[in-house]
Amino acid sequence: MQHTFKHIALAIFTLTVSISFAQERENDTIDTDVVNVIKPYTPTISDAFKIKETATLNDSTTGKKKVIKYNIFSIPVASTFTPAKGKAATVDKEKPVKLYDNYASLGVGTYTTILGEIYLNHALSSTERVGGYFSHHSSAGDIEGVNFDNNFSETGLNAHYSQKLRDYSWKVEGGFQLQSFNWYGVPDQTIDVFDVDHAFYTANFGGNINFEDAIIKNGSVLYRRFGDDQDSGENRFVLKSGFDVPVADEVINAEVTIDYLGGSFDRSYFVNEELNYSNINFGLAPSYQMKEDDLTLNLGLNLVYLNDNEASDSKFFIYPNIMASYRLVDELLIAYGSIQGGLIQNSYYDFAQDNPFVSPTLFVAPTDQAYNTSLGIKGKLSNSMSYNISGHYLADNNKALYKANTFLGTAEENYQHGNSFGVVYDDLTTFSVAGELNVDVNRNFKLALKAEYFAYDTNNEAEAWNLPDIKASAFLDYQIDEHWFAGANLFFVGERKDEYREEGVLVFTEPMTITLDSYLDANAHVGYKISDELSVFAKANNIVNQDYNRWLNYPVQGIQFLAGATFQFDF
């Protein structure tokens, strides 16, 4: 519309000027005359001044060009040489390793040990997969010097279904686990033997989802039911979601967490009275990452609101979540540090998996990890060798520590003979120094070494019960040739301290602090690959045959041998 108006205005202006010019021409007073040309103009060009003679050279010697003739002097030579045709050199390539979707493994060994695993994974289509996992590990025990039953068994079953689409992928899974153990660590093994067995069961269901190019990045949900044969039960529900929040030209990453825990025990250790616990916490953890040249900086907070339903109490926690790294010398030397914190949701399930000899009489409460600071350097010494050296300082309020239960002279339950463990809470600060070295020459040889030293400071308890002062480990995998393979792992655990006490109608002893000796657990295995599908193996555990105590009054099996086979296959 605007362009049309301009064109119309221009046309009107042009027409007006033309009419005005025409009117002026009509009023012109100059008369018209006729001019007659009598003779046309004929111009002429004068000759230019030119040199009329050619210059001559007066040199005494005038050079002449010399005529040069080229001839080829050739002599015939007899030769029988015939060049061979060239061929490109070939590069030796390793035979690609055949990967299978499924495998089954079975091994048997001393102490009537049975170890079995089956993993299945099947593609229903190009986007759908279904699978399952079954495992079993059991042993008759037969630990030297122990008169009580000390066998154990762990059996697990899991199934999953997953789908991967263009914009998102998701997975759903569920499982069940049954575990049986014995409280065989009775201080006096000469008393009349009684039944000390107990069992745990776990049922879980959950799933996760991941999005591509969306504000919501991922989400996960887990429901777990855990209980025992002592009328104890626990429910855990965890919901997590991660998303991106665009702010101006930047992106803020955030994670939201809802964590519910509730359970009950049939009685406490000293009193036949039911114990209940229930709490829920809501967490929000926003963070922002900044990168500039060799510096990477993550700035964030961890905000947690805790509602203790059983105590009708609520608290709000603010934790730092800051991490930084700086490349001092490319990949050779990288300095890093962090200060973080969080609310740790302790549970009966976690305690029982860490120490299967806990009594079903625990007081369960979360741990407030006010801060966890670290400072270190890491890098690569070569393309196949990397290192990591760090120092840590932690402050845990209400830290859960395992401690041997009192030996009750009036015991009513099979775990009240000083043969089980309870949980005590204390404010604990921990200082540690760690070093790590990894060697990865190629896919045929891998070595990892790690060691860490700890120093503890408690507030109320006399010691940091059952926490070691030193931990070290070594892992080795070696593919000897196309058929033979071997490996080893070693674990060293330093001294720990525990407390022993007896209490009864006529018996009462002052608590005694007992130091558990450090121990080295060395394990090795060797195998032979018969074909791509079938291989056989042999294992040896506790090779140095140390009769050490993992927990107070709980010795372990001596040297153990196991042999078996693994079969890989596709449907």
Side-chain angles (χ1 to χ4, degrees), residues 9 100 118 124 141 172 175 249 283 339 343 394 436 454 487 491 551:
Y100 295 89
I118 299 176
L124 299 176
V172 61
D249 295 333
I339 175 169
L343 190 68
L394 294 78
E436 185 175 353
F454 302 90
F491 301 94
W551 304 96

Side-chain angles (χ1 to χ4, degrees), residues 97-132:
V97 179
K98 170 66 175 175
L99 300 178
Y100 295 89
D101 290 336
N102 315 278
Y103 76 87
S105 180
L106 178 64
V108 294
T110 55
Y111 298 96
T112 321
T113 300
I114 300 175
L115 179 64
E117 290 181 324
I118 299 176
Y119 178 78
L120 304 175
N121 189 19
H122 178 65
L124 299 176
S125 66
S126 60
T127 61
E128 297 175 285
R129 302 191 76 88
V130 63

Side-chain angles (χ1 to χ4, degrees), residues 194-491:
F194 54 89
D195 188 14
V196 290
D197 70 311
H198 63 285
F200 303 114
Y201 67 86
T202 308
N204 64 274
F205 178 81
N208 61 73
I209 186 169
N210 296 281
F211 296 94
E212 296 288 341
D213 300 326
I215 293 178
I216 299 177
K217 296 168 54 180
N218 54 65
S220 65
V221 61
L222 168 68
Y223 170 74
R224 181 177 64 225
R225 173 66 181 180
F226 179 72
D228 58 27
D229 59 351
Q230 308 289 325
D231 297 326
S232 308
E234 178 183 82
N235 296 304
R236 180 85 178 268
F237 177 81
V238 181
L239 176 64
K240 292 184 178 181
S241 178
F243 56 92
D244 294 335
V245 179
V247 178
D249 295 333
E250 305 296 338
V251 175
I252 304 296
N253 301 314
E255 183 176 273
V256 175
T257 303
I258 300 176
D259 191 344
Y260 167 79
L261 178 71
S264 64
F265 295 101
D266 189 52
R267 57 164 299 163
S268 66
Y269 189 78
F270 294 98
V271 182
N272 191 2
E273 181 178 337
E274 185 176 358
L275 284 176
N276 298 303
Y277 57 96
S278 174
N279 65 69
I280 183 171
N281 64 61
F282 301 89
L284 174 62
S287 64
Y288 168 71
Q289 185 180 80
M290 180 180 67
K291 291 185 177 181
E292 185 174 350
D293 297 332
D294 295 325
L295 175 65
T296 300
L297 181 63
N298 289 290
L299 301 174
L301 290 173
N302 188 4
L303 311 175
V304 181
Y305 174 77
L306 171 66
N307 185 19
D308 190 335
N309 302 322
E310 194 64 30
S312 299
D313 188 20
S314 60
K315 295 180 180 179
F316 184 71
F317 303 90
I318 301 178
Y319 301 103
N321 187 15
I322 302 173
M323 294 178 289
S325 66
Y326 186 78
R327 297 178 183 271
L328 297 172
V329 186
D330 295 329
E331 297 292 332
L332 180 63
L333 183 61
I334 301 173
Y336 66 92
S338 68
I339 175 169
Q340 298 174 293
L343 190 68
I344 302 173
Q345 183 77 289
N346 297 313
S347 66
Y348 183 29
Y349 171 83
D350 294 329
F351 291 147
Q353 300 307 304
D354 191 24
N355 182 354
F357 309 113
V358 292
S359 63
T361 60
L362 307 178
F363 178 73
V364 179
T367 295
D368 169 25
Q369 189 171 86
Y371 54 85
N372 179 356
T373 61
S374 64
L375 187 66
I377 56 173
K378 62 181 179 180
K380 289 185 176 181
L381 300 176
S382 66
N383 290 333
S384 60
M385 185 178 299
S386 63
Y387 69 94
N388 189 357
I389 302 173
S390 61
H392 305 264
Y393 187 74
L394 294 78
D396 292 316
N397 300 321
N398 215 37
K399 170 73 173 180
L401 302 171
Y402 299 110
K403 187 178 180 181
N405 282 324
T406 302
F407 191 129
L408 296 182
T410 58
E412 298 178 358
E413 305 292 341
N414 57 355
Y415 52 79
Q416 293 179 323
H417 297 265
N419 57 335
S420 65
F421 296 84
V423 174
V424 295
Y425 294 87
D426 194 12
D427 295 341
L428 177 72
T429 57
T430 305
F431 172 76
S432 67
V433 178
E436 185 175 353
L437 180 67
N438 292 282
V439 180
D440 190 355
V441 177
N442 49 45
R443 62 179 298 268
N444 296 329
F445 181 85
K446 294 181 180 180
L447 174 66
L449 304 172
K450 185 177 181 180
E452 190 167 8
Y453 168 78
F454 302 90
Y456 308 99
D457 185 17
T458 58
N459 188 28
N460 297 318
E461 297 294 325
E463 299 286 349
W465 307 117
N466 282 293
L467 293 181
D469 56 354
I470 297 176
K471 290 175 66 176
S473 60
F475 298 90
L476 170 67
D477 281 319
Y478 181 42
Q479 184 72 36
I480 302 173
D481 57 25
E482 183 181 356
H483 297 283
W484 289 96
F485 58 92
N489 54 73
L490 294 87
F491 301 94

